[in-house]
Amino acid sequence: MEITELTVHELQEKIKNKELTIKEINEAYIKRIKEKEPDVQAFITELTEQGLEQAQKIQNKIDNGEKLGELAGIPIGIKDMICTKGIKTTAASKMLENFVAPYDATVMEKINAEEMINLGKLNMDEFAMGGSTEYSYFKKTRNPWDLSRVPGGSSGGSAAAVAANMVPWALGTDTGGSIRQPASFCGIVGLKPTYGLVSRYGVIAFASSLDQVGVFTKDVQDCAMLLNVIAGHDEKDTTSVDIGKKDYTKSLQKNIEGLKIGVPKEFYGDGINPEVKESLNNAILQYKEMGAQVEEFSLDIAQYALATYYIIACAEASSNLGRYDGIRYTYRSKEAKSLKEIYKKSRSEAFGAEVKRRIILGTYVLSSGYYDAYYKRAQQVRTLVMNQFNEAFEKYDIIITPTSPTVAFKIGEKSSNPMEMYLSDICTVSINIAGLPGISIPCGVDKEGMPIGMQLVSKRFGEETIIKAAYAYEQKTKFREKYKPTFKK
Amino acid sequence: MSRQEYETVMGLEVHAELSTKTKIFCSCPTKFGAEPNTQVCPICMAMPGALPVLNEKVVEYAVKAGLATNCEIERNSKNDRKNYFYPDLPKSYQISQYDKPLCKKGYIEIETSQGKKKIGITRIHIEEDAGKLNHDEFGGGSLVDLNRAGVPLIEIVSEPDLRTTEEVDAYLKKLKSILEYIEVSDCKMQEGSFRADVNVSIRKKGETKLGTRTEMKNMNSFRSIIRAINYEIERQIEVVDKGGIIEQETLRWDEVSGKTFSMRDKEDAQDYRYFPEPDLLTINLSEEYINNIKKSLPEMPESRKQRYLEEYKLSEKDAGILTSSKYLSDLFEKASEVCGNYRAVNNWIISDISRILNEKEMEASEIPFTAEHLGHLVKLIDKGTISSSIGKKVVEELFENQKEPEEIIKEKGWIQISDEGAIKEIVQKIIESNPQSVMDYKAGKDRALGFLVGQAMKETKGKANPQMLNKMFAEELKK
Amino acid sequence: MQVSKEEILHIANLAQLELKEDEIEKYMLHLQDILNFANIVKNAPVEGLDITVGANELKNVFRKDEVKQFEDTNSLLQNAPTQEQNMFKIPKVIN
């Protein structure tokens, strides 16, 4: 097997057995990036040279007999939404095209403390607004399973890079499905943790009350390992919660006898592609065979949640993106002569159409006369959504839904119709509205060989339950052994 | 119509910078006067991804201010974002409080020539200060310094209860003194840590409906506040008299021209789009928390004044002046403790020190010398080491040069001449050279003695002991 | 609710965006589309429900009033489009 096909826990095994060195591993990944990047276009900033230097340093330490952490020298890719000190951090926007972050996000400090090697900043929809990575200012990332299709979004670069074996794992952010949906489109594992489990400090804000950092991995075991690294209370983020340190790898158990699974029938309605539905039904049968208790129930909030999501996310975004004003660190229009022009021209020239669309919607719903009808109402609906989930989790350990109504669509297919793009978030956004943890794992492919994702959701801080349920399914079904990206042109 | 036929209705919005060590949402220092952009970090510079964390002292200080102004304290408070673009506001939103301010429905009592009056406090909320725009003298641009961005403020909004500039003056002074007493703000107007915006409207006397108000900003002293109000009242009367309509707008006071100017483009309708700050959590204050702060409140001006009247038997006026400022009042108490002569200390503060403050346009908080210095000065006079006229010179000197009074008089050679032989010598010399006055005195004109003593003082540059001079002249002239 | 051209211009002005003539049409249409969908929240059964601002129930998280100076303040100016005397330079603004 190629080095780059291995999971991180497999790499660790080989490092321990002296079958592989840190240098060899990094060289293999860098070679793979050089090979596949022209097709996949996942990177905004490649850090291969620095990566190689770093790998050499770590190798020297190991050769000198220094005792390093278990993840020292393991490569990683970082969504370009996360601030990396001394390295360009662009949010895939012209606005921040040349922005060098003056500090590290808390999650980056944790990655650095493990001495992992950041091989690059990954592509995404501009300011994480989108579901296809087509709204990046820099490039369109392609789906490794079919290069004519999108990798999903907004963390499309992260998902594609992991699926294409250009990095063994990656960090992303998820505001309404931006980790789970691309993971589903690219046939890998994507976890959005509970709101508050991972610090948002240094993560460029899209919608503060919904944003959460999460992980893309090849399998569930890696997912638990990387979650161990990034989870934890941070006093720089007041919304981060102190629940003590947990070891999520302890949840990697195959026995799920008695696990109570709820299947919300509204998430399997007309809008869901029949092949996706079928694949999900098979997965549910699989769970039954494994000893889970499955029950269908009604969770009639999906439509409300989607509307609420767009109101709240855009309202917060319209305010969060005010700081990009052409004064301190962003793009400034060359034509601007007055202050007013600095604002208006810089923002109009440097924000893409989707970002402007959301700023306009967000400004509208907060503006005088509409606040109560939209924004305040949406916040009440948020309470409703949370209550309904709370009720559901009194009965069930996890809820299973499709991650996305469809498999990855063609590049250009939806980018001209914003409403259609928004509707494809229907399965994921309510999880952010309620602040719950959700994982997407592959559960099959469609007729054309495109991967289908299944979303497992648990109550707040129920990461252990979803990791366990995901792991048991993965070990039983062995998706990775059966299907691989083909880079079809 | 003349001014007498109108009534002026005013309300004040006072911004006071809280004297915390760090900013409201980050750990940057708040010291005034640092080099540009040296007290900044990713948070107060609004770098992408930075998040605010509320300083606990800010809540404590605001609650203190609320309790000291008889406010109700909100048990479930929160922060909100106020959205607008300006170069001194790096996030393009100010974190403030909208519908749940920490304190509301309070009042303070003021005293004017018309007697006592309660002025209502609508609310007190916490928010962050903005940065500063400096003007580039050569390049013709503006320069943004964000050291002040994120310095904690409380905004104290009064009810439109104020009718005269005298009331405004009394209200501001009272408010300032309260904030100084409870030590939540140093209230230095010159440094901008105590600023007032004034809402002014006029209406015909007898009318109960409020007129349209304008809001004036950018006044940086009590004097300019009063000037601005007077200007604005005249302007509004003139507009109304000519049949015009007052527009609700924000005006900027220009100290140099003595006029107000409209601040914003007319086309720019403001809509701040307040919404709850999602990066911060609700502030829930327990009864215990509030009670502890209540217990920690120091003695307030009224009760100090009462104490001065009863304990020290000071006059109503003197006690009022002393307690109008915590700094004066503390100076009085500490210096009295040092020298044991509170009457003398009182006199020095009320007369010379107040006069010098006035001349120098300084605030009591800016008095450069310590209570020990003043106490020691009084002691030197009481011991007869110097005369009180030398004392005046020492006080002047203390404003320039903060040394021990004893050192000052040594350096300047101001020690009093109390040696009997030396005094006698001077007296004889003056008698010899002023035969006319001596004759006048002997002819029964007592005033002549005063003249002679004065001459002797002049001769000794004020250093001669006046009691001894008087005595010696009387003895010598009897001969 | 029907969005008018005046409204979209007012909103763009609040958001400091400059819209070209063809963009005005486009954004008006999109905004209308999204609002039509978002109107569904008006039918949600939320009678008597409080608002939710954030997804967790934390409260009262404060910071101690202790100075921690950011060590590299120069790096905070390194991305400035124009600067002078360690300040961000902009066209002249009268307060």
Side-chain angles (χ1 to χ4, degrees), chain A residues 201, chain B residues 20-30 39-45 51-55 128 147 149-152, chain C residues 63-68:
Chain A
Y201 188 77
Chain B
T20 53
K21 291 194 209 77
T22 65
K23 293 186 177 180
I24 181 167
F25 299 121
C26 62
S27 304
C28 288
T30 52
Q39 298 187 154
V40 287
C41 74
I43 299 167
C44 54
M45 271 227 178
L51 296 171
V53 184
L54 181 54
N55 182 343
E128 56 185 329
N147 280 345
V151 169
Chain C
R63 174 175 59 77
K64 292 241 176 301
D65 186 26
E66 287 162 7
V67 173
K68 264 181 244 153

Side-chain angles (χ1 to χ4, degrees), chain A residues 85 98-103 195-196 209 235 238-241 303-304 306-308 310-312 316 326-332 336-340 342-345 347-348 351-354 356-357 359-361 363-365 367 370 373-384 386-387 416-419 422-423 432-435 460, chain C residues 1-4 7-20 23-24 26-63 68 70-83 87-94:
Chain A
K85 187 174 179 178
N98 299 308
F99 176 71
V100 176
Y103 73 110
Y195 185 82
S209 76
E235 49 187 38
T238 62
T239 62
S240 100
V241 181
Q303 292 285 322
Y304 296 138
L306 186 59
T308 292
Y310 275 95
I311 293 169
I312 291 174
E316 291 180 9
I327 293 179
R328 295 173 312 286
Y329 50 75
T330 56
Y331 169 84
R332 181 185 289 182
K337 296 197 178 58
S338 66
L339 175 65
K340 192 114 217 158
I342 286 187
Y343 287 150
K344 289 203 166 177
K345 290 197 188 297
R347 288 168 63 80
S348 303
F351 283 143
E354 179 61 21
K356 283 191 250 189
R357 189 149 46 229
I359 290 175
I360 288 171
L361 174 65
T363 306
Y364 183 87
V365 296
S367 68
Y370 302 108
Y374 291 107
Y375 184 73
K376 194 174 166 208
R377 193 77 179 177
Q379 286 190 311
Q380 283 180 294
V381 176
R382 191 166 189 179
T383 310
L384 177 76
M386 292 173 101
N387 289 348
S416 58
N417 186 336
M419 206 47 236
Y422 294 177
L423 286 171
N432 299 75
I433 291 288
R460 288 178 54 68
Chain C
M1 250 173 266
Q2 208 61 38
V3 183
S4 69
E7 264 180 313
I8 200 99
L9 289 174
H10 169 66
I11 295 297
N13 195 42
L14 285 177
Q16 299 289 357
L17 292 171
E18 188 176 73
L19 301 183
K20 297 192 197 85
E23 284 181 316
I24 298 173
K26 189 176 83 181
Y27 285 116
M28 243 168 91
L29 216 71
H30 288 157
L31 179 59
Q32 191 67 60
D33 255 13
I34 301 162
L35 288 176
N36 288 345
F37 172 71
N39 279 334
I40 193 176
V41 296
K42 294 176 186 166
N43 307 323
V46 296
E47 240 27 47
L49 290 182
D50 281 339
I51 62 162
T52 296
V53 174
N56 53 38
E57 286 138 27
L58 289 173
K59 55 189 181 190
N60 290 348
V61 176
F62 303 125
R63 174 175 59 77
K68 264 181 244 153
F70 185 72
E71 62 287 348
D72 188 9
T73 50
N74 284 335
S75 71
L76 297 172
L77 279 99
Q78 72 186 359
N79 293 293
T82 50
Q83 57 160 302
M87 289 181 272
F88 303 103
K89 190 171 180 188
I90 53 171
K92 185 156 189 158
V93 180
I94 304 156

